[in-house]
Amino acid sequence: MTHKREALLHKNGQPMRAILIAAALLTGASAAQALPLASTLPQAQAQASSPAPTSAFERDRQAILAQVGDYRVRFNMRETVGLQADYQPLEPKTSGGTEIVRVVHDTGDRISLQHILVMYHEGQTILVKHWRQDWTYQPETVLTYAGPDQWTLTTVSAEDRRGAWSQTVWQTDDSPRYGGVGRWSYDNGMTVWTSGPTWRPLARRDAVRNPVYDRYLGTNRHVIRPGGWVHIQDNVKMTGRDGGEPRAMVQEDVVNTYDASAAFEPKPGDDYWAATKAYWAEVRAAWDAVITRDGGVHVQEVADTGAVTSAALMEMADKINAGELTTEAAAERARALINEATRP
């Protein structure tokens, strides 16, 4: 571990306890079974009562916003085909949890959605600000993964952006994860956004194993369906550690389903977001400033938490939520932390 990483992590060198508990719950079958689906599906009813779209653009917007709600989430991951003679695909892995998705902002052609895990363990409520997805209509640039520790602002051609939406996915601490461009389609009774091939860093489930691969090349689909939505990934796991062009190791299918649910209490997640959203706005602004300044960002990846900044940034949000730290003080520390972590 570098001295820089030691300075940026929690003072005892460990990621936050809540993140680790949530990770354990997400990987445990018993946790996945703890909260059954509700018999009613309010999210589906809300979708059914939405006014008819007035344009193709508005139809796309309604599809994106249909992902907002309270969900029982199931994650299904399966390596299917080994692409090298010496690689044996892993056994399938399933997990689950409960999660809310809320609108951060909606300015018409830019929509931001925040996921927050609301989990229950031994009588305690475990809250973890999860991933964020930002959507931009006809984007001129998109932030893409460029290899270990590096993300780059990539120009989108006029042809590729016409009628398209970019989706940029951010980690728990609002550091970048991946970005891609695609279009919504409505054929055969399906509402689907499909990305082009998108480079991504390893997910925690793989990164903690120190595998032979070090990145994914994936195609993402978001499918809106009655009572929720599903995120489908077609990933090729690659290794680029030997230099030169990355080499494909194995193909993986990932199907993450979001079923609308009233079987858990979302209020703790909403209370957390109300208490911390001003702080997270400052954190987003700090990341955006670095990306604008450098045409991208360089920040160290960490297997357990995604980025070297994660533990400290999320711990400050927890302290704000607990009334132990002001938003102003936390924002000042966050800006300094991000500047230090992204310094060339």
Side-chain angles (χ1 to χ4, degrees), residues 68-120:
V68 175
D70 306 335
Y71 296 105
R72 182 74 175 81
V73 188
R74 291 183 174 87
F75 304 103
N76 295 278
M77 297 147 282
R78 183 168 64 101
E79 291 189 353
T80 58
V81 180
L83 301 173
Q84 300 295 328
D86 57 350
Y87 187 87
Q88 181 66 34
L90 297 173
E91 290 295 317
K93 183 175 182 180
T94 60
S95 61
T98 44
E99 184 164 84
I100 64 174
V101 183
R102 298 294 186 257
V103 176
V104 178
H105 60 253
D106 175 5
T107 60
D109 59 356
R110 294 174 181 268
I111 301 171
S112 179
L113 307 179
Q114 180 64 59
H115 295 235
I116 300 174
L117 290 166
V118 183
M119 309 282 283
Y120 302 91

Side-chain angles (χ1 to χ4, degrees), residues 53-243:
T54 57
S55 65
F57 168 70
E58 186 58 32
R59 191 181 195 185
D60 292 352
R61 280 178 34 79
Q62 289 189 16
I64 294 167
L65 292 169
Q67 298 172 97
V68 175
D70 306 335
Y71 296 105
R72 182 74 175 81
V73 188
R74 291 183 174 87
F75 304 103
N76 295 278
M77 297 147 282
R78 183 168 64 101
E79 291 189 353
T80 58
V81 180
L83 301 173
Q84 300 295 328
D86 57 350
Y87 187 87
Q88 181 66 34
L90 297 173
E91 290 295 317
K93 183 175 182 180
T94 60
S95 61
T98 44
E99 184 164 84
I100 64 174
V101 183
R102 298 294 186 257
V103 176
V104 178
H105 60 253
D106 175 5
T107 60
D109 59 356
R110 294 174 181 268
I111 301 171
S112 179
L113 307 179
Q114 180 64 59
H115 295 235
I116 300 174
L117 290 166
V118 183
M119 309 282 283
Y120 302 91
H121 178 66
E122 296 180 353
Q124 297 184 40
T125 302
I126 307 299
L127 302 172
V128 177
K129 176 180 169 291
H130 207 194
W131 61 294
R132 185 178 104 241
Q133 46 174 321
D134 287 355
W135 296 83
T136 301
Y137 184 61
Q138 299 189 151
E140 295 185 1
T141 60
V142 62
L143 188 67
T144 60
Y145 185 61
D149 303 337
Q150 184 65 48
W151 288 258
T152 302
L153 274 178
T154 301
T155 300
V156 183
S157 71
E159 179 180 357
D160 288 343
R161 68 174 176 260
R162 187 176 299 113
W165 291 79
S166 66
Q167 184 208 42
T168 307
V169 170
W170 308 84
Q171 316 231 45
T172 57
D173 66 337
D174 288 326
S175 61
R177 179 153 174 73
Y178 63 86
V181 178
R183 289 179 173 82
W184 287 93
S185 63
Y186 304 91
D187 302 326
N188 305 312
M190 295 178 64
T191 298
V192 185
W193 179 83
T194 305
S195 78
T198 301
W199 287 107
R200 306 208 320 266
L202 294 184
R204 180 186 180 278
R205 66 179 184 275
D206 283 332
V208 295
R209 298 187 302 103
N210 190 29
V212 294
Y213 39 78
D214 65 351
R215 68 199 73 184
Y216 311 139
L217 183 61
T219 298
N220 298 305
R221 285 186 288 161
H222 283 235
V223 183
I224 309 303
R225 62 191 185 90
W229 55 283
V230 59
H231 179 200
I232 302 171
Q233 304 171 41
D234 178 1
N235 297 327
V236 178
K237 298 182 177 182
M238 304 272 204
T239 180
R241 290 172 176 160
D242 297 332

Side-chain angles (χ1 to χ4, degrees), residues 257-319:
T257 56
Y258 292 75
D259 290 314
S261 175
F264 72 102
E265 175 54 65
K267 187 176 183 298
D270 286 318
D271 290 346
Y272 167 88
W273 188 241
T276 63
K277 63 182 180 181
Y279 163 73
W280 286 116
E282 295 288 346
V283 171
R284 294 194 304 273
W287 285 115
D288 288 347
V290 171
I291 292 165
T292 300
R293 180 193 70 198
D294 298 340
V297 62
H298 180 90
V299 62
Q300 183 184 350
E301 298 171 53
V302 178
D304 282 338
T305 57
V308 68
T309 49
S310 180
L313 289 176
M314 294 190 72
E315 183 179 25
M316 284 190 284
D318 289 341
K319 288 184 176 180

